[in-house]
Amino acid sequence: TLDKMAEYTQSEDIIKRYEAYGWETYEIDGHDLAVVEETIAAAKASNNGKPKFIKCNTIIGKGMEETEGTNAAHGEAGVPYVDKARAAIGLPEEKWFVSEGTRDFFEGVQEKNAKIYADWQATYSAWKEANPEKAAELEAAVNDDVMPAEEMMKVIPEMGTDAEATRVSGFKVIQEIAKAVPNYISGSADLHGSTRNYINDGGNFGAGFDKSYAGKNLYFGIREHAMGAILNGIAYHGIFKASGSTFLVFVDYFRPTIRVASLAELNRVSYILTHDSIGVGEDGPTHQPVETVSGLRVIPNLDVFRPSDAEETVAAYVSSVTRKEGPTALILSRQNLAQNNDVPAHERREGALKGAYIAKKETADLDLIIIATGSEVQHALAAAKDMPGARVVSMPCMELYERQSDDYKESVLPSTCTKRIAMEAGVSAPWYKYASKVVGVDRFGFSAPGDIVMKELGMSAENLASEIATMN
């Protein structure tokens, strides 16, 4: 490694680790090319269903006597000795030399592969003719062809008018998503019972017990980082759209995989992250995310959706499976939230699909805009009830709102109204982009029932109204 030789910094037995994983392992001299070729051939010929791991023991910087066998060979220290080392092992001075043996090996590869491809296409064509419905479903999955978001929202029934946690709404919605998108699968890092993303009648994926490889529900165990990496692998392979769930506060365990998904534009991936705020309650500050949602919002190309009610949750899920540019994080509540029944269901869905919309329009001259998201929208609506000049804007997804036209954004947040206040049960910093005053939570929470924590830390209609009263 850069600092020291590997035996200095790590003491584990790599072969035993992979054997414990259930892999088939090989250990060879990595400088013996004949043995390398034989071992690769043996691994390919072994059809026992196990993944293969070949440990090739080599000497770093071999042939470069000044740095051979030392960590200095890992970096730039060996650069001055490269030409000398090339000559010592018989390579010509030409820097981009390709041996005749290498050229001979690749001769005819194109012709060979063309025949293999043609044979496969013939086999597929015969299968497609015999199985037209399955072929159509497969090709739609491969091409990432799903019905448009607007159409998908129409086939999902209205969610109801009673107060409900958005994780519970999510459970209802994911059943509909699984019907509308046959190649959609979902899993959890040991929290299906809490995150509520189990696909009913979908079966469980894997071997043994009640599992099969046709299952749509994945059990990742308490392995958040592995879950994120597996989701990325599924997306890279194509065919399936996959989501994984855990508590929001645990998202930092697999943050690097979310960053990769965003960087690689893996739109087939989504994350279901529940227990979204200090409303978690008795588990206390270790399990109450305050900085976490904003920590996700700063990742480029990641849509972060924090819906305020069931109908916004529909839009969030639909957006996650129809988006083409990158992954989506769905941020859902543990506690019940009031439904904004004054706005028709289809309007809430359509508005949420644009990232932000007017959840309550002013009934007099506009003199105040209250912006809120998630569980705080209900407080914004309650506080504005007796304020005829107040507009309430629900902003479930900042990123999606920012991609709307200038005209739409101006219609929601008109530049003529600068008296604005935002509210979220999390750190306040991101909201100053839209508001001059923010009611947020810039500290860790504490252990108590969720409603008490919320009230004590200012997440109430009463406190919001008091803060508004202090504004000019």
Side-chain angles (χ1 to χ4, degrees):
T1 62
L2 282 171
D3 275 352
K4 292 284 187 180
M5 296 301 287
E7 60 265 24
Y8 190 97
T9 58
Q10 58 194 55
S11 59
E12 66 181 332
D13 188 321
I14 298 292
I15 289 292
K16 287 182 179 178
R17 173 152 68 95
Y18 277 86
E19 286 175 349
Y21 288 157
W23 292 46
E24 183 174 329
T25 62
Y26 304 82
E27 185 168 7
I28 61 173
D29 178 359
H31 296 297
D32 189 329
L33 298 186
V35 171
V36 171
E37 189 170 354
E38 291 170 6
T39 307
I40 292 174
K44 286 182 176 180
S46 177
N47 294 318
N48 58 9
K50 294 183 177 182
K52 317 301 184 218
F53 180 85
I54 303 174
K55 181 187 177 189
C56 301
N57 295 309
T58 60
I59 299 173
I60 191 170
K62 186 174 174 63
M64 199 180 301
E65 60 184 23
E66 293 83 359
T67 58
E68 179 178 313
T70 72
N71 59 293
H74 192 110
E76 298 180 1
V79 172
Y81 315 112
V82 170
D83 291 341
K84 177 183 175 183
R86 289 172 60 87
I89 60 177
L91 289 175
E93 292 184 5
E94 181 186 348
K95 290 294 190 292
W96 304 108
F97 174 72
V98 179
S99 69
E100 287 303 315
T102 302
R103 295 182 188 278
D104 292 343
F105 180 82
F106 282 98
E107 187 176 349
V109 166
Q110 285 184 328
E111 291 82 355
K112 180 186 72 174
N113 288 346
K115 183 180 184 308
I116 292 172
Y117 180 74
D119 290 345
W120 187 90
Q121 287 290 350
T123 299
Y124 180 75
S125 295
W127 176 83
K128 179 178 179 179
E129 186 174 349
N131 303 274
E133 292 183 2
K134 289 182 178 179
E137 186 175 317
L138 174 61
E139 289 177 4
V142 170
N143 296 325
D144 197 15
D145 183 14
V146 297
M147 68 175 72
E150 293 77 9
E151 184 179 337
M152 191 179 296
M153 288 197 297
K154 289 177 182 177
V155 303
I156 298 176
E158 291 190 11
M159 303 300 291
T161 60
D162 294 338
E164 183 174 79
T166 50
R167 63 180 175 131
V168 175
S169 305
F171 172 72
K172 298 173 182 177
V173 178
I174 202 172
Q175 312 309 320
E176 304 300 326
I177 293 294
K179 296 173 188 174
V181 186
N183 56 314
Y184 182 82
I185 59 178
S186 192
S188 181
D190 203 49
L191 284 169
H192 269 124
S194 296
T195 53
R196 306 298 298 275
N197 62 308
Y198 189 87
I199 299 172
N200 287 340
D201 302 319
N204 301 324
F205 179 85
F209 302 98
D210 62 345
K211 297 182 283 186
S212 77
Y213 291 116
K216 290 190 173 185
N217 295 290
L218 292 84
Y219 283 79
F220 293 107
I222 310 172
R223 303 181 185 92
E224 290 87 355
H225 185 86
M227 176 176 72
I230 290 167
L231 293 175
N232 287 354
I234 291 170
Y236 273 121
H237 177 263
I239 298 181
F240 294 102
K241 289 181 178 288
S243 63
S245 74
T246 186
F247 291 163
L248 173 61
V249 78
F250 297 148
V251 76
D252 285 335
Y253 287 128
F254 62 107
R255 185 182 182 89
T257 70
I258 298 174
R259 187 176 188 273
V260 168
S262 303
L263 176 62
E265 301 177 0
L266 299 182
N267 68 298
R268 292 174 180 264
V269 175
S270 56
Y271 314 99
I272 299 167
L273 307 170
T274 70
H275 296 59
D276 69 338
S277 71
I278 53 174
V280 167
E282 286 88 347
D283 282 346
T286 57
H287 284 58
Q288 294 170 358
V290 291
E291 81 292 359
T292 319
V293 177
S294 295
L296 291 173
R297 288 183 179 130
V298 299
I299 299 178
N301 199 36
L302 175 67
D303 276 5
V304 181
F305 238 113
R306 188 167 177 249
S308 70
D309 67 5
E311 301 302 346
E312 287 192 9
T313 303
V314 171
Y317 267 88
V318 168
S319 181
S320 75
V321 295
T322 57
R323 187 182 179 214
K324 298 296 184 183
E325 301 80 16
T328 302
L330 306 175
I331 314 298
L332 307 177
S333 73
R334 176 196 185 191
Q335 74 277 20
N336 287 345
L337 308 183
Q339 309 297 324
N340 185 13
N341 296 316
D342 290 339
V343 177
H346 73 276
E347 290 185 17
R348 279 176 277 161
R349 294 182 183 189
E350 292 168 0
L353 204 59
K354 293 180 178 178
Y357 67 100
I358 300 171
K360 175 195 171 293
K361 190 169 178 60
E362 64 280 5
T363 56
D365 290 343
L366 177 63
D367 62 11
L368 170 69
I369 298 176
I370 307 171
I371 310 167
T373 187
S375 54
E376 288 64 68
V377 171
Q378 59 188 350
H379 301 319
L381 292 168
K385 188 176 181 180
D386 297 321
M387 300 178 184
R391 171 182 297 189
V392 175
V393 171
S394 175
M395 187 177 285
C397 184
M398 291 181 176
E399 301 78 19
L400 197 46
Y401 171 75
E402 290 295 338
R403 295 199 295 273
Q404 302 307 307
S405 68
D406 289 341
D407 286 346
Y408 180 78
K409 288 188 284 187
E410 179 68 16
S411 72
V412 176
L413 295 176
S415 55
T416 54
C417 183
T418 57
K419 185 179 178 182
R420 303 178 186 178
I421 186 170
M423 185 182 205
E424 183 175 34
V427 295
S428 59
W431 292 100
Y432 286 103
K433 180 176 183 178
Y434 304 108
S436 57
K437 187 176 185 65
V438 180
V439 180
V441 180
D442 291 307
R443 52 156 286 180
F444 291 115
F446 58 91
S447 180
D451 56 341
I452 293 176
V453 180
M454 283 285 202
K455 186 174 182 179
E456 288 295 318
L457 296 185
M459 293 299 110
S460 67
E462 294 76 16
N463 182 61
L464 177 59
S466 296
E467 293 291 342
I468 292 171
T470 66
M471 300 175 70
N472 295 325

